[in-house]
Amino acid sequence: MTEHVSIRLASERVNHCVSSSNDTPRFYTPGEVISGMQDFMRGHGTYVEEDCLKSSVAGVMQKVNKLICVRPLKSRYVGEIGDVVVGRVLEVQQKRWKVETNSRLDSVLQLSSVNLPGGELRRRSAEDEQMMRKHLKEGDLISAEVQSVFTDGSLSLHTRSLKYGKLAQGVLVKVFPSLIKRRKNHFHNLPCGVSMIIGNNGFIWISPKPQGMMVDGNEDEIINYEMQPVDSTDREIIARLKNCIAALVASKMMLDDTSIMFAFEESLKYEEVKELLDPEAMLDIAFLTQHRLNNIMEE
Amino acid sequence: MAGVLLSRTEKVFIIDGVKDEYRSDGRSTIDYRPMELETNVVSHASGSARLRLANTDILVGIKTEIDVPKPDKPALGKIDFFVDCSANATPEFEGRGGEQLANSISNMMQRAYQSPQAFDLKQLCIFEGKQCWKLYVDILILECGGNLCDAVSLAVKAALFNTKIPFVKAALMDGGNIDLQLSDDPYDSKLLDVGSAPLLVTLCKIGNKCVVDPTAEEEKCSSVSLIVGVTGNRKYYSDDDTEELPAFQPKCSAISMHGPGSITTTTLRNAINQGIIAAVCLDEALGKTVVRERRDIEKFKRHSYGFLK
């Protein structure tokens, strides 16, 4: 029985930067002067002080004509209508659930914006209200879509499609939302045999591929089916994907199915998944992934 | 410990994973996550260390003060632990929220350091029965990512290793009172012998197995966890390898259980053994790291990193 323990010094820390020095964008810190105020417009993440436009967050500058914005590197999720999110139910209230989606305020899932179990369309009655906790209870994870944004910035979600709803067994990985690349599709069945939901809010759900949908069948059977142990090959792939995402995040690389799949393929040279926790291995994978992404861009 | 919510199916996933000895990041039940350590981060403390274990972030500062020894133990110094849970770690620690957790950790540390085989308090004695050093160990928890006890004990040992106690230049006897003159030169100081200081190992019982270094999610799945304090080996902390040291036998200096669950006697015995093995490995890794850092300082190779960068 051998234990694996590694303690390194701060001075031996690995620099996770993978981009070459000429394409790193200029990084602004809070309070830094972006420009003199001459006919520029003040956008998000900026403020005016002493006739200068200054950054109020740490991030990169974006300029559209005369409008200057600074997009923060790390921030809470700012929702947009149509985004796919993964969230956790915090509270069951009257006719709605409170959902944690990594945004500044808790999001809301109305009882009227879920598909009732059984799939039939009818009016939501008082009994449905009493059955809410049976449907989704505190701690449950769901995938959903942003239906609308309230004036205070909090989100209203809906799950009125078969692809949304409660999530069963798997692993949740939390990253910052700014690293998620917006794509047409955020639900992926990866070729390595597991499925992944890349939520726009920075929550990534990795789970074993469902073996055939269980649409009919009573509730007990579904619960029984959900509780089946995951087999060890799926478990290894999930763990590997999780560590690959962590490696890409450490190097601040954008996440989508291509980059994650590249990282997964590059990581296969490390036989044991736990080797990927080492900072050197993480950097190696991020570097190789970046290299492959650059190759695709050139083609 | 800190409030993490998990759904029932996620718990099933973690519990089945531990059963297969394959955790959600690929570790087996006996593996630790990589750690990062820096000592001497607080310039105005006698000794300090910062340890980061995945998301768990611990800062330890040690203050030395002259005190009067206890009448029943005239030849011994004093050591005192104080844990502060910063509200930055989780909003639950706001106000007095983290007090219970803080007390349980500091009590555990106090008990582990009580045994003379774990930490020799005689080295803190100045004048028997009159004056001794008192070490205030201040532990600040900046971020919670599971496995607080192990991280705290590692950081405390690293900080004690780094602690410098000034030499006493002269002592003036004035009736019954003693007036000490301490050396002002920061280099004119002695180091503590901390080789045998204990490390805590948390064993989280999940299903029928025990895991070391649980993440916050795994802690949520376990009904009971066992914490063992195991004494360290002086060999790993001495600079010269020639020094003859007596054969080392790791000893358990404290054991405690947390949580509402219970453990059968066989599991308990296995868990304690597993904890001792883990502690020996941790001790060796920590010893190598702190000795390496000290050598770097001697060669002036070291840059301070701290929190920025």
XYZ file of all heavy atoms in Angstrom, chain B residues 62 119 123-124 135 160-161 163-165 190-195 294:
142
model
N 2.579 32.411 13.948
C 2.941 32.059 15.320
C 3.559 33.264 16.000
O 4.458 33.909 15.454
C 3.894 30.853 15.326
C 3.120 29.626 14.857
C 4.469 30.627 16.715
C 3.925 28.405 14.700
N 5.173 16.804 21.185
C 5.860 18.091 21.109
C 6.492 18.352 22.464
O 5.808 18.347 23.497
C 4.861 19.191 20.745
C 5.513 20.508 20.488
C 6.295 20.695 19.353
C 5.370 21.560 21.382
C 6.905 21.905 19.112
C 5.983 22.770 21.136
C 6.740 22.941 20.003
N 11.625 22.620 25.583
C 12.467 23.538 24.804
C 11.971 24.978 24.896
O 12.672 25.891 24.482
C 12.527 23.080 23.347
C 11.173 22.965 22.707
C 11.248 22.385 21.313
O 12.110 22.748 20.542
N 10.345 21.477 20.998
N 10.781 25.189 25.441
C 10.256 26.550 25.571
C 10.536 27.132 26.948
O 10.114 28.235 27.267
C 8.744 26.550 25.316
C 8.301 26.113 23.922
C 6.795 26.094 23.842
C 8.858 27.044 22.870
N 3.742 30.003 22.994
C 3.526 30.124 21.552
C 2.031 30.281 21.298
O 1.242 29.448 21.727
C 4.029 28.876 20.824
C 5.505 28.535 20.944
C 5.803 27.283 20.137
C 6.366 29.679 20.448
N 5.710 26.033 12.663
C 6.560 25.820 13.842
C 7.999 25.573 13.407
O 8.945 26.025 14.057
C 6.057 24.625 14.655
C 4.827 24.857 15.525
C 4.346 23.548 16.106
C 5.134 25.834 16.647
N 8.179 24.861 12.315
C 9.513 24.591 11.788
C 10.202 25.902 11.432
O 11.407 26.043 11.536
C 9.379 23.706 10.545
C 10.690 23.274 9.952
C 11.408 22.242 10.520
C 11.181 23.894 8.820
C 12.610 21.835 9.964
C 12.386 23.489 8.269
C 13.097 22.464 8.843
N 9.556 28.798 12.892
C 9.522 29.763 14.001
C 10.919 30.012 14.571
O 11.681 29.078 14.778
C 8.603 29.236 15.112
O 7.319 29.044 14.558
C 8.522 30.211 16.265
N 11.201 31.291 14.791
C 12.481 31.666 15.386
C 12.212 32.286 16.749
O 11.378 33.192 16.855
C 13.207 32.681 14.509
C 13.774 32.059 13.268
C 14.403 33.117 12.406
C 14.989 32.461 11.173
N 14.913 33.333 10.029
N 12.927 31.812 17.749
C 12.770 32.350 19.095
C 14.055 33.089 19.458
O 15.147 32.521 19.357
C 12.486 31.213 20.090
C 11.101 30.658 19.797
C 12.599 31.694 21.517
C 10.650 29.615 20.729
N 17.042 31.013 17.947
C 17.100 29.551 17.838
C 15.839 29.027 17.168
O 14.795 29.686 17.184
C 17.287 28.928 19.219
C 16.074 29.039 20.118
C 16.213 28.124 21.324
C 14.979 28.275 22.207
N 14.995 27.447 23.383
N 15.985 27.857 16.593
C 14.843 27.215 15.945
C 14.294 26.140 16.870
O 14.993 25.644 17.741
C 15.281 26.588 14.623
C 15.736 27.590 13.568
C 16.524 26.887 12.485
C 14.548 28.302 12.970
N 13.069 25.806 16.664
C 12.442 24.790 17.504
C 12.696 23.400 16.923
O 12.872 23.239 15.729
C 10.932 25.027 17.558
C 10.455 26.259 18.304
C 8.973 26.434 18.070
C 10.740 26.119 19.779
N 12.680 22.440 17.825
C 12.767 21.055 17.374
C 11.338 20.551 17.202
O 10.642 20.281 18.167
C 13.523 20.234 18.424
C 13.376 18.758 18.169
O 13.284 18.383 16.984
O 13.357 17.990 19.141
N 10.872 20.493 15.957
C 9.476 20.141 15.724
C 9.328 18.817 14.987
O 8.236 18.463 14.575
C 8.734 21.219 14.910
C 8.576 22.459 15.699
C 9.405 21.474 13.596
N 10.434 18.099 14.838
C 10.375 16.855 14.066
C 9.275 15.908 14.507
O 8.643 15.255 13.693
N 14.278 25.638 3.340
C 15.296 26.262 4.192
C 16.631 26.355 3.456
O 17.328 27.363 3.535
C 15.447 25.444 5.478
C 16.483 26.027 6.395
C 16.460 25.377 7.736
N 15.296 25.766 8.513
C 14.955 25.216 9.666
N 15.693 24.227 10.158
N 13.913 25.623 10.324
